[in-house]
Amino acid sequence: MPTIAILAQGAMGAGIARRLVERGATVLTSLAGRSAASARRAAEAGMRDATPAELAAADIFLSIVPPAEAPATASLLAPALAAAPRRAVYADCNAISPETAREVAASVAPSGAVFVDAGIIGGPPRPDGYTPVLYVSGEAAGRLLALNAYGLDVRVTPGGIGAASALKMSYAGITKGLVALSSAMMLAAARGGAAEGLRAELERSQPQLLAWFQRMVPPMYDKAYRWVGEMEEIAEFTGPQAAGIYEAIAEFYRGMAADRAGPQQQVAALEAFLGRK
């Protein structure tokens, strides 16, 4: 049974940890400097708080942190990986651009650890059996297929380091981009007094699209702050032709995060448009 280190203890990291623990794997983490909420999620998931030396002895490292923290996390762990008794597999599972993934791989390389580029598509594993897909790429990608025996859905995507990240960026750019665009237009319609008319027209001509909005927009409120960095990574990934689009979407999510933490006026307007309030 493999020993897996998961960094850190957010909804996705804890969800994946819980699934692995349920299937018999040992999952380590570090709670040094973490919040009480993180410690609670780790405990509920069955993650074990470990010392740096214990972490270094893990077979597989899954980095599941906010995109902006991915490079620093790899650099911080590199000395421990170098001192480990075996060559661990370090999988960066964050929503980062292919270029950032290659930078992370370069920082891990001197440690002797094997690097795998990875991207998670979907939400955290649920008790009903739902599991997101973990796409992996690079020469050592097949090393993570062993986790399928512990309840994950790992799939190798063709290409070297950066291919899995490119897939994640492309998919998130479509789905989270549409969430931002639809939300922005709902809010604009509400400000312009056209909310009722727009909703009626969507019900008439785009019922499937409206149903998608009703399913995908509400979960965004609590995630917007995390999506800012992801949109900035996507802006880098798309290059000059579309970078401005995703930089603007990052600003939209930054504004939604501030509204969620404060007046919640935009949240209320979207809830009203979607018929949830």
Side-chain angles (χ1 to χ4, degrees), residues 2 19-20 23-25 144-154:
R19 178 63 55 80
L20 292 167
R23 299 300 177 87
L144 286 192
L145 290 176
L147 297 182
N148 286 336
Y150 296 89
L152 299 191
D153 185 356
V154 181

Side-chain angles (χ1 to χ4, degrees), residues 21-119:
V21 170
E22 289 172 347
R23 299 300 177 87
T26 297
V27 178
L28 307 178
T29 193
S30 173
L31 295 176
R34 307 299 296 183
S35 67
S38 294
R40 183 180 65 254
R41 282 192 297 269
E44 291 173 349
M47 305 170 85
R48 183 163 66 84
D49 188 18
T51 66
E54 290 172 329
L55 279 177
D59 302 297
I60 297 171
F61 284 76
L62 301 180
S63 174
I64 308 176
V65 299
E69 296 179 17
T73 298
S75 296
L76 184 66
L77 282 171
L81 292 170
R86 65 175 65 88
R87 292 184 69 203
V89 176
Y90 186 94
D92 190 295
C93 308
N94 303 301
I96 55 177
S97 70
E99 182 59 33
T100 301
R102 285 187 281 269
E103 291 174 6
V104 173
S107 70
V108 170
S111 72
V114 177
F115 183 84
V116 174
D117 179 31

Side-chain angles (χ1 to χ4, degrees), residues 115-119 135-142 155-165:
F115 183 84
V116 174
D117 179 31
Y135 286 100
V136 294
S137 66
E139 290 183 6
R155 307 184 189 187
V156 176
T157 190
I161 293 171
S165 289

Side-chain angles (χ1 to χ4, degrees), residues 160-271:
I161 293 171
S165 289
L167 173 58
K168 168 66 176 178
M169 292 283 94
S170 302
Y171 185 87
I174 293 171
T175 56
K176 293 169 185 174
L178 284 175
V179 167
L181 291 174
S182 61
S183 298
M185 287 298 98
M186 291 178 210
L187 292 171
R191 290 193 299 271
E196 184 177 344
L198 176 60
R199 181 184 169 87
E201 179 55 31
L202 287 171
E203 289 175 335
R204 183 193 72 82
S205 62
Q206 303 290 341
Q208 292 179 321
L209 199 55
L210 178 59
W212 191 87
F213 296 158
Q214 290 171 324
R215 179 169 61 90
M216 297 296 290
V217 170
M220 172 268 292
Y221 311 147
D222 292 329
K223 300 176 182 178
Y225 77 97
R226 288 167 33 204
W227 290 0
V228 174
E230 189 169 345
M231 295 303 106
E232 291 171 341
E233 289 288 325
I234 293 174
E236 177 185 321
F237 169 61
T238 58
Q241 189 171 11
I245 296 173
Y246 287 96
E247 288 167 357
I249 290 176
E251 285 303 310
F252 174 81
Y253 282 134
R254 186 174 283 110
M256 283 300 307
D259 179 75
R260 181 59 163 172
Q264 299 197 22
Q265 293 175 345
Q266 295 182 89
V267 169
L270 288 171
E271 289 288 272

